[in-house]
Amino acid sequence: MFSERLLKELNQQIKHEFYSAHFYLAMAAYLVSEDLDGFANFFKVQAEEEKFHAMKFFDFVNEMDGRVILYGIDEPLNEFNSVLDVFQKAYLHEKKVTQMIYNLMDIATEEKDYKTTSFLKWFIDEQVEEEAMMKSIIKKLERIGDNSSALYMLDTELGQRTFTPPTDQTQK
Ligand code: MG
């Protein structure tokens, strides 16, 4: 069982992960409106990943006999200036999420809650990947600049992305 403080923070993280899904869907909607369906697909898949993250916290809290409480999800930003702007905002958002995971880890460590520290390690590694992925697309977009045929090539590439939930039991 968790401390009251840690339980509250874990429930907050469920909200943050669902908010991330919401935010990425808002990005997908903007990209569809810009006829960039491949980039939109990328963020739809990203939203699925975020829901998967939320459910990972949800299941963990339940498994540990904690009580899951769902909080309201804030309205995300819906307007963006460009596809580059979208990815820059996604990158900054992931950096914020990383800080949230570190904060959770700090609390769990301080409270010697070993099951939670072990559980959170997966998220620490996941955040490294999330930040790196956003950063690499930002770099590509910066190189692409005004070259619309290169932009559409990247759009096609990102249109191939699919969501595959991890099946490895050690990641549960
Ligand atoms: Mg996440």
Side-chain angles (χ1 to χ4, degrees):
M1 192 53 177
F2 308 104
S3 71
E4 209 175 302
R5 178 189 179 205
L6 190 54
L7 176 62
K8 202 171 170 195
E9 294 288 337
L10 288 166
N11 276 324
Q12 284 287 350
Q13 194 61 33
I14 294 173
K15 169 193 159 136
H16 294 315
E17 299 292 343
F18 277 125
Y19 172 80
S20 297
H22 221 50
F23 193 23
Y24 291 142
L25 274 181
M27 292 178 178
Y30 164 78
L31 292 162
V32 167
S33 77
E34 293 289 305
D35 296 321
L36 293 167
D37 291 354
F39 285 101
N41 174 68
F42 173 91
F43 280 104
K44 281 189 209 166
V45 172
Q46 192 60 30
E48 288 304 311
E49 266 203 18
E50 299 305 338
K51 282 185 241 167
F52 176 80
H53 293 166
M55 291 312 294
K56 221 169 147 66
F57 277 102
F58 182 101
D59 290 340
F60 176 67
V61 171
N62 283 326
E63 276 165 24
M64 295 283 290
D65 281 334
R67 176 72 165 90
V68 168
I69 300 291
L70 293 182
Y71 301 116
I73 301 169
D74 299 334
E75 182 180 317
L77 186 69
N78 279 285
E79 294 305 330
F80 304 90
N81 299 320
S82 64
V83 60
L84 179 60
D85 180 42
V86 168
F87 277 90
Q88 282 167 338
K89 288 192 164 81
Y91 176 62
L92 287 179
H93 180 69
E94 286 302 331
K95 282 177 81 84
K96 262 196 244 168
V97 173
T98 300
Q99 287 308 315
M100 290 172 187
I101 302 290
Y102 289 172
N103 178 51
L104 280 171
M105 188 59 125
D106 284 344
I107 298 169
T109 304
E110 193 188 306
E111 295 185 356
K112 293 186 166 44
D113 188 324
Y114 302 117
K115 286 176 182 168
T116 303
T117 54
S118 172
F119 169 78
L120 288 170
K121 275 181 190 146
W122 184 90
F123 280 93
I124 288 181
D125 295 340
E126 177 73 3
Q127 284 309 117
V128 172
E129 279 180 33
E130 300 283 50
E131 285 188 29
M133 180 176 62
M134 297 302 177
K135 193 78 198 170
S136 89
I137 298 172
I138 288 172
K139 279 187 192 159
K140 284 181 187 172
L141 285 168
E142 283 170 347
R143 255 181 269 132
I144 285 170
D146 290 336
N147 183 339
S148 60
S149 59
L151 183 70
Y152 281 104
M153 269 172 68
L154 184 55
D155 185 67
T156 305
E157 186 190 320
L158 297 181
Q160 316 286 316
R161 189 183 184 200
T162 53
F163 175 65
T164 37
T167 48
D168 183 350
Q169 284 303 302
T170 59
Q171 293 187 338
K172 225 190 137 212

